[in-house]
Structures are given as structure tokens and as C-alpha cells.
Amino acid sequence: QVLLQESGPGLVKPSDTLSLTCAVSGYSISDSNWWGWIRQPPGKGLEWIGNIYYSGSTYYNPSLKSRVTMSVDTSKNQFSLKLTSVTAVDTAVYYCARIWTGGNWFDPWGQGTLVTVSS
Amino acid sequence: SYVLTQPPSVSVAPGKTARITCGGNNIGSKSVHWYQQKPGQAPVLVIYYDSDRPSGIPERFSGSNSGNTATLTISRVEAGDEADYYCQVWDSSSDHVIFGGGTKVTVL
């Protein structure tokens, strides 16, 4: 059974960098899959942040591209998200998920972690 | 950029059928995936490749996709189906994931 678990600070100051990690268990991150990050502001819909391949190739949401960096650590079986220059609008629940190659759907998802941007 | 349009809300009586639409330009040429999200929980995949159900998803959930509209159908609706539902595609012209705005299903 594949499980994903997000971790990182729950509170980030404005203008700082948001950093999250997604630990994968029950599956090798190197087994030719894409992995993704999605966020959901309180009371709003889902917003795609980006995808990363185990080799490091990426696709980013153009609205966030200038501030987003994703990376993979195969030795730790995890992947990470960095979002720079955050503001209050970046306050959201951040999810990581496995992406099924070919159809590009997300399954399973991590439980999500709330990140609040506030001073 | 590609846009997916969902109705904000759908109401349905228990035992009846709920239909949730997802509109997009020539969406029939894309693969559509659907997620169910209950309050305080992560989204769960309920339909992939337009009409395939993952293991563990009841047969009451079905999907179709043609022309400019994809549809998630929930038959014999139960109280436990009350949730937000999101459609999603991969836009190969831009290499981006697109989510619909979500539909809140209320069981009367």
C-alpha cells in the first residue's frame, strides 16, 4: 500500500520560503512515476502546483513557476517543494500525491498539511 | 489556457441520481478524472480515464465523456456521498494539470 505523508512548518512569515517534504512509503519513488503537489486555500478549490519525475524533470503551474522549486531525494524516498516570497494568499492545505503515468491522475494523496502565512 | 467549468452545487434526494458536469472545449478528446473530497479530508479518486473505477469505489459511481462535457453520475445516492467533487485533466498542449472549480453535492 502506497502512503504519502507531508511534513514541514505550519507557520511561515510573509516574504519567507515555504518548504515541505513528502515522504513515500510502500513504493519506490524511483519506479518510474511522476509525483505532484496540489494546494487548497481555506474554503476554496484545488490548485495544481507542479509535478516532478523521479529523475528531476518538472512541470510547474505557470502562475507559480517563478517561485516554485521541486526536488527528489531517492535515497530518502521523498520529494520536496519550495515556494519563495510567500504572502497570505499562499495560505492553504498542501497535498502531495502520486501521479499515474499515461493518464496523469493523482492517486493516492497524502493527508495534507496546513501552512499559514502570517507574521 | 484550458478551463474546466463545473456547477457550484448539485442537490439530490437520497436514492435518486446525481449528475455532475465538467465542461471544457473538446473535453471529449481528453481523459477526465474525478475526485471526491469530504470535509477535512484529502481528495479521493473515484473515476479515472473518463469511466474507470478504482478498486473500492462503488459501482454507483460512473463517468462519461463526449464533446464538450464530461459527467460524473452517482446512482442511488446515499447520505455518505455528500462531498465536493472535482474533475481534472492533463492539458497536453501546455503540459499542465487542470482542475475544475468543484461541485458541492448536497443530499437532501
Side-chain angles (χ1 to χ4, degrees), chain B:
Chain B
S1 61
Y2 196 77
V3 175
L4 295 176
T5 301
Q6 298 183 237
S9 63
V10 167
S11 297
V12 59
K16 299 299 185 182
T17 298
R19 294 181 178 83
I20 305 158
T21 58
C22 177
N25 185 32
N26 197 26
I27 195 173
S29 66
K30 302 181 183 300
S31 293
V32 180
H33 320 301
W34 292 91
Y35 304 91
Q36 175 193 69
Q37 186 181 33
K38 296 183 179 180
Q41 298 183 19
V44 172
L45 180 75
V46 293
I47 292 288
Y48 64 100
Y49 274 147
D50 298 340
S51 59
D52 290 344
R53 269 178 294 102
S55 173
I57 300 301
E59 291 183 9
R60 301 185 297 103
F61 288 82
S62 62
S64 63
N65 183 19
S66 179
N68 293 319
T69 304
T71 303
L72 173 68
T73 301
I74 311 173
S75 304
R76 303 181 299 283
V77 166
E78 303 174 355
D81 298 330
E82 193 162 274
D84 294 326
Y85 292 83
Y86 295 89
C87 58
Q88 177 246 313
V89 301
W90 172 258
D91 181 23
S92 57
S93 65
S94 60
D95 287 333
H96 293 149
V97 170
I98 310 294
F99 283 104
T103 298
K104 182 176 182 60
V105 170
T106 300
V107 180
L108 300 171

Side-chain angles (χ1 to χ4, degrees), chain A residues 5-98:
Chain A
Q5 179 68 59
E6 307 88 351
S7 62
L11 181 64
V12 180
K13 289 182 167 53
S15 78
D16 282 358
T17 296
L18 178 160
S19 296
L20 296 175
T21 296
C22 181
V24 180
S25 59
Y27 190 87
S28 172
I29 203 167
S30 301
D31 280 353
S32 302
N33 264 108
W34 286 82
W35 306 87
W37 288 97
I38 306 99
R39 71 179 183 179
Q40 184 172 37
K44 296 189 177 181
L46 302 172
E47 180 181 27
W48 173 65
I49 299 172
N51 297 350
I52 185 165
Y53 196 53
Y54 77 98
S55 63
S57 298
T58 56
Y59 294 117
Y60 295 146
N61 186 323
S63 68
L64 299 170
K65 187 175 183 177
S66 64
R67 299 192 292 130
V68 170
T69 302
M70 294 182 183
S71 60
V72 171
D73 188 336
T74 55
S75 67
K76 294 183 178 179
N77 216 42
Q78 64 186 32
F79 59 104
S80 300
L81 167 71
K82 290 188 186 298
L83 181 66
T84 62
S85 305
V86 297
T87 67
V89 298
D90 295 310
T91 294
V93 175
Y94 285 75
Y95 297 99
C96 60
R98 181 177 65 175

